[in-house]
Amino acid sequence: MDILFNPAVRIIVRLALGGILVYASWHKITDPPDFAKIIFNYKMFPASTINLLAIYVPWIELIAGFAIISGIGSRGASFLAGGMFIFFICALSYNLSRECPTICGCFSTFEDGKSLTPEQKFDEMRKEIWIDVGCLLLAAHVFFGSIVAARSVFADKEGAAGESSAAA
Amino acid sequence: MKQLILQLVAIIGLTLLAGTASNLVGRRDTQAADGTATKEWHFSSKGARLEFFVKESRYPNALICMMSQKKNPLPVNPEAPKDPPNGGEPEVVDATQNPGGTQNGAVDPGKQTQNPEPEDPNKVPHIGFEAAVQHWEDGLLFVDARGPKYYAEGHIPGAISIPAWEPGIEEKVQQLAETEGTAAPIVVYCNESTECEDSHIVASQMKSFDFQELTVYEGGFPGWRRDWKKKNKTEKDSEIPITTGPEAGPRGPEQ
């Protein structure tokens, strides 16, 4: 447990996860119509929600990414990021189960993926699920790591307070 | 717990602010006076990169996966005739016998599938290359549903651009209704695909403005280019009817 939540390990995981989120958000923020097309191609969202998701979801990714990298608000950011990854995993799994080939769009644009055959899309979806599982584990590490860090700071403070009152 | 909730609220608040601002403020693709593509800064809801609120008709079939439906068809109707040779694929009709097409008239009743989908009066029929060429030669209006960049790279001569995924689609369709009238037969195309979803998005908008005579050219621009080269036995774009640039160009073969 000490090794798992070692400060150096926590920093590396935070930088990795935050970097992934920032990288994944960039093409969606610069091209909202393309991301709207990706959301539409999932065939899971009512028409009235597609544009709103295309506008706001990339910003959740970007802000959460920076929060995780900086360490400011990383607990909330990793909780949100974890929720998003769970959603992506469920969405891709659902589309795999109903044989609906989908351009994932997590790290690529719709234009990149539209020339793929359905079988290639299914392969990409399976790969993407594994990537999202890995990212979910990173998010969990950041989340629980922040709790462990907060507790150890609290325990240190209590210990210091106890020593100073004993000395007094 | 309190800290977690505060952080979540802060992130969501920042997201709403940043998302709204980025959608309203940005650089938009426009055309300079000499026709070259350029970008300009804008700040307005009219120039938003995506509309915040859209009607359900903006994105038809948003919850229906066509590919999934084909693999998992509806239960067998014992009264329906036997399988067609194409295994239930959407019927592509050569509508040269029925120029302009109708909302329902493109499907040959003699080729109904064993698992027929319920008749959808709003379904826009698809046409193939031969029918598309006939319509083009007859001077019918074509609408290009692809993005502006693809339109400028090359489009069917005379086709006007109404991109399915850019904002302002309603205004463009309204303008079209005023200039051409809603009774005008129109062919919509996009990139080549069996579902032609971009074309159907534009066609759905046009239907909401009471356009009646709509068809979708299934081959799209890639199919137009490929099939014309095959027809003319050439590999050169200059020997087939294609227009480049932001202007529609004249309709029909008289250029």
Side-chain angles (χ1 to χ4, degrees):
Chain A
M1 202 63 137
D2 284 343
I3 296 171
L4 190 62
F5 292 112
N6 181 279
V9 172
R10 281 184 17 238
I11 287 172
I12 291 169
V13 170
R14 265 182 31 221
L15 289 175
L17 178 65
I20 289 170
L21 285 168
V22 170
Y23 172 73
S25 70
W26 196 249
H27 76 267
K28 297 166 193 159
I29 286 174
T30 53
D31 196 351
D34 185 273
F35 188 48
K37 221 167 167 175
I38 287 171
I39 295 171
F40 175 74
N41 105 109
Y42 272 81
K43 302 297 187 167
M44 286 175 58
F45 303 99
S48 51
T49 63
I50 288 173
N51 281 8
L52 292 172
L53 289 170
I55 292 166
Y56 292 111
V57 165
W59 282 100
I60 293 180
E61 285 184 329
L62 185 74
I63 292 169
F66 280 127
I68 288 169
I69 289 170
S70 66
I72 302 169
S74 62
R75 195 182 308 177
S78 58
F79 184 85
L80 260 179
M84 282 198 309
F85 290 126
I86 289 171
F87 180 77
F88 295 150
I89 290 165
C90 293
L92 287 169
S93 303
Y94 174 60
N95 274 350
L96 269 176
S97 71
R98 63 173 179 159
E99 295 184 347
C100 181
T102 306
I103 295 169
C104 309
C106 296
F107 302 103
S108 58
T109 62
F110 185 88
E111 296 301 316
D112 290 338
K114 69 177 186 190
S115 56
L116 299 175
T117 63
E119 287 68 34
Q120 287 172 325
K121 284 182 187 172
F122 288 134
D123 283 338
E124 286 298 316
M125 287 161 76
R126 285 183 205 104
K127 269 188 233 168
E128 197 65 47
I129 286 172
W130 284 114
I131 293 173
D132 286 340
V133 167
C135 291
L136 179 61
L137 292 173
L138 293 179
H141 186 280
V142 172
F143 180 77
F144 291 112
S146 69
I147 294 173
V148 164
R151 280 187 186 161
S152 67
V153 165
F154 184 68
D156 287 347
K157 278 186 183 164
E158 276 202 324
E163 280 174 15
S164 59
S165 62
Chain B
M1 190 63 175
K2 206 168 153 185
Q3 202 184 26
L4 174 65
I5 292 169
L6 278 170
Q7 289 174 3
L8 286 173
V9 167
I11 291 171
I12 290 169
L14 278 172
T15 296
L16 290 174
L17 226 73
T20 307
S22 77
N23 197 43
L24 294 178
V25 180
R27 299 186 75 206
R28 183 176 49 194
D29 290 320
T30 56
Q31 286 171 26
D34 60 2
T36 52
T38 184
K39 287 184 184 285
E40 67 174 21
W41 286 97
H42 68 89
F43 179 77
S44 72
S45 58
K46 283 194 178 165
R49 293 198 277 175
L50 276 180
E51 300 100 330
F52 285 101
F53 302 107
V54 299
K55 299 177 202 166
E56 286 297 317
S57 61
R58 176 72 173 85
Y59 300 120
N61 300 323
L63 295 171
I64 299 171
C65 182
M66 298 296 185
M67 194 71 89
S68 171
Q69 285 219 328
K70 280 178 205 165
K71 289 187 178 182
N72 302 296
L74 295 170
V76 172
N77 180 350
E79 291 176 8
K82 302 244 178 220
D83 274 337
N86 64 355
E89 290 286 323
E91 195 68 26
V92 175
V93 172
D94 184 343
T96 51
Q97 305 306 319
N98 183 20
T102 64
Q103 287 181 16
N104 298 316
V107 177
D108 184 347
K111 291 185 177 179
Q112 297 240 355
T113 64
Q114 184 176 9
N115 303 312
E117 290 172 19
E119 275 224 13
D120 182 358
N122 293 320
K123 192 172 174 177
V124 176
H126 288 196
I127 59 172
F129 175 66
E130 295 300 330
V133 171
Q134 184 65 57
H135 290 345
W136 178 70
E137 288 173 351
D138 291 343
L140 263 59
L141 177 63
F142 278 63
V143 169
D144 191 317
R146 301 173 300 155
K149 185 183 96 164
Y150 298 99
Y151 178 80
E153 283 171 3
H155 55 269
I156 294 174
I160 61 167
S161 173
I162 301 183
W165 294 93
E166 301 289 323
I169 187 174
E170 280 191 21
E171 287 79 12
K172 288 180 181 151
V173 172
Q174 188 170 15
Q175 201 177 9
L176 185 66
E178 285 162 10
T179 51
E180 297 287 330
T182 56
I186 292 176
V187 180
V188 188
Y189 71 90
C190 55
N191 277 312
E192 188 171 23
S193 71
T194 47
E195 285 84 32
C196 300
E197 284 180 329
D198 289 4
S199 299
H200 281 287
I201 285 171
V202 172
S204 169
Q205 280 298 304
M206 295 173 82
K207 277 191 170 295
S208 67
F209 280 86
D210 293 327
F211 279 89
Q212 302 297 323
E213 302 286 326
L214 296 172
T215 48
V216 167
Y217 166 38
E218 203 168 80
F221 187 70
W224 177 268
R225 190 184 235 150
R226 183 193 59 237
D227 292 334
W228 263 109
K229 283 180 179 173
K230 222 188 278 182
K231 182 175 162 140
N232 287 3
K233 296 190 174 67
T234 178
E235 287 302 318
K236 296 182 189 165
D237 276 357
S238 54
E239 291 174 15
I240 59 174
I242 283 179
T243 298
T244 55
E247 297 299 322
R251 290 190 219 173
E254 301 296 326
Q255 297 188 38

